[in-house]
Amino acid sequence: MSIRTIEWTGDSLLLLDQRALPGKESVLRCSNASGVAGAIRTMVVRGAPAIGVAAAFGLVLAVPCTRGGKRPWREAFAAAAEELGGTRPTAVNLFWAIERMRGAASTLPDDPEEARRGLENEAVAIYEEDIAANRAMGAHGARLLPDGASVLTHCNAGALATAGYGTALGVIRAAYAAGKRIHVYVDETRPFLQGARLTAWELMKDRIPCTLVTDNMAAKLLGDGKIQAAIVGADRIAGNGDVANKIGTYGVAVLCRVHKVPFYVAAPCSTIDPGVRTGKGIPIEERDADEVTHLAGKRIAPDGVRVYNPAFDVTPARYVTAIVTEKGVLLPPLSRAIRDLFR
Ligand code: MRU
């Protein structure tokens, strides 16, 4: 894989610093759980599955690899789980991964060396399963994209947002690898510019044809009949199929409906939260005003202006044509498809 978003060395976690892309490919080394929590909070690593995988390794780092520590490893693990869980509220993969690591921890012995090995095995499994899930989504989803299609995507749901390959971009990658002539229109994704900075960079690295547009150009593209499908990732999918994803996704979905263009969501089962009945129950992160008032560090709005900066919106299930998961393509009625999936 040409993009290494997350790399585990055995005693530290290496994260490709996504804040510096596309200008610089620099790597941040985290050698403790607080370092990983800080990296998630400050968007060094972002994207729902990537956040979950990073947190899992953060929990490995919480446990000392030698005996004779000052406090039992379970205490350090519990404190780290708490800290990591407080970093970003919307992407459910974070909580899913922490729960999975808690489950593994509950079966491990009191000896820290053995416990750390057990936790490491679990985190590596989460990492590898994420890549496998993305590959499977690619295989299921590629069929949905017609040869010659122009496909609109929003935010970054690629290798950078996962352990590798990507969810929405994984589907695009798989269709392209199968020989389909696909052209990707990339929404720049204000205010954090994941589309312009990350998705355009990823697609160009893989030589997949793409065109960058600002978010407010999507309506014109769809109105002009230039888009045959839209595909995005997700941060959390409620039991009824409502989809929380990067702010601006809802607008894309509504435009697709108006213009009779299919709107697809690609996400692993770890992004589905059947415990939340509808999108109304999904907590939406609000981020710093600076992201809106500044562009590349330069102020673009008057000092002191009031700002609203929700990082995600919720697309009602009725606008979703299908959800591509590693277990297959879910079709409406999505509440029933999700119920069957988790049965
Ligand atoms: O704030 P971010 O960059 O973490 O938001 C990311 C997104 O909204 C992605 O579309 C989503 O996590 C899916 S990633 C496969």
Side-chain angles (χ1 to χ4, degrees):
M1 273 183 312
S2 60
I3 297 169
R4 281 186 172 273
T5 306
I6 297 174
E7 202 177 333
W8 173 245
T9 67
D11 62 3
S12 56
L13 188 66
L14 303 181
L15 298 171
L16 180 59
D17 189 341
Q18 301 193 28
R19 299 167 307 180
L21 291 172
K24 201 166 82 187
E25 287 181 46
S26 62
V27 169
L28 181 83
R29 180 183 292 271
C30 303
S31 41
N32 55 49
S34 289
V36 176
I40 295 173
R41 198 175 297 110
T42 58
M43 311 277 280
V44 169
V45 61
R46 35 67 48 202
I51 292 171
V53 172
F57 284 112
L59 288 171
V60 181
L61 292 171
V63 175
C65 34
T66 51
R67 297 185 180 105
K70 279 191 227 91
R71 57 177 177 167
W73 71 263
R74 286 183 210 284
E75 269 180 32
F77 178 92
E82 194 69 22
E83 185 181 5
L84 285 157
T87 51
R88 297 196 68 191
T90 305
V92 75
N93 307 63
L94 173 67
F95 308 101
W96 173 89
I98 292 172
E99 270 324 297
R100 196 162 141 177
M101 293 298 283
R102 279 195 179 118
S106 69
T107 67
L108 292 169
D110 291 337
D111 175 62
E113 268 186 46
E114 273 183 60
R116 176 145 166 154
R117 263 196 303 279
L119 290 170
E120 181 177 12
N121 290 341
E122 191 68 6
V124 169
I126 289 173
Y127 173 95
E128 286 172 352
E129 286 167 27
D130 186 56
I131 297 175
N134 293 336
R135 293 264 174 195
M137 269 179 258
H140 294 304
R143 282 177 230 138
L144 301 172
L145 304 182
D147 185 24
S150 283
V151 179
L152 180 65
T153 192
H154 191 75
C155 193
N156 173 268
L160 290 168
T162 61
Y165 202 65
T167 57
L169 291 195
V171 170
I172 288 169
R173 279 196 167 94
Y176 190 73
K180 289 188 180 173
R181 288 156 302 160
I182 302 287
H183 188 98
V184 187
Y185 279 94
V186 180
D187 269 355
E188 71 167 346
T189 317
R190 273 284 286 158
F192 207 69
L193 306 181
Q194 288 93 332
R197 295 188 302 105
L198 309 177
T199 299
W201 179 78
E202 258 199 70
L203 291 170
M204 288 179 77
K205 229 174 156 54
D206 273 7
R207 297 184 194 286
I208 298 176
C210 63
T211 300
L212 177 64
V213 291
T214 61
D215 300 342
N216 51 2
M217 293 170 189
K220 171 150 177 60
L221 280 175
L222 280 146
D224 289 348
K226 288 196 172 143
I227 302 292
Q228 283 69 52
I231 185 157
V232 300
D235 286 82
R236 193 185 298 222
I237 299 173
N240 71 341
D242 289 351
V243 174
N245 191 49
K246 181 53 53 194
I247 191 76
T249 303
Y250 180 22
V252 172
V254 172
L255 284 169
C256 283
R257 172 57 50 89
V258 168
H259 295 287
K260 300 187 172 49
V261 166
F263 175 82
Y264 299 118
V265 174
C269 294
S270 54
T271 301
I272 303 176
D273 185 358
V276 166
R277 223 170 45 79
T278 74
K280 287 201 168 50
I282 298 177
I284 300 295
E285 176 183 11
E286 282 194 39
R287 294 186 60 86
D288 254 20
D290 285 13
E291 290 182 357
V292 177
T293 55
H294 289 68
L295 204 53
K298 191 174 177 315
R299 173 171 282 284
I300 53 162
D303 206 1
V305 69
R306 226 178 274 154
V307 167
Y308 176 49
N309 186 17
F312 304 96
D313 58 27
V314 175
T315 298
R318 65 180 177 279
Y319 293 111
V320 178
T321 308
I323 300 176
V324 182
T325 75
E326 70 273 36
K327 297 202 172 142
V329 177
L330 309 185
L331 295 170
L334 292 172
S335 50
R336 191 158 73 204
I338 290 172
R339 208 178 325 119
D340 290 349
L341 188 70
F342 283 86
R343 202 169 4 235

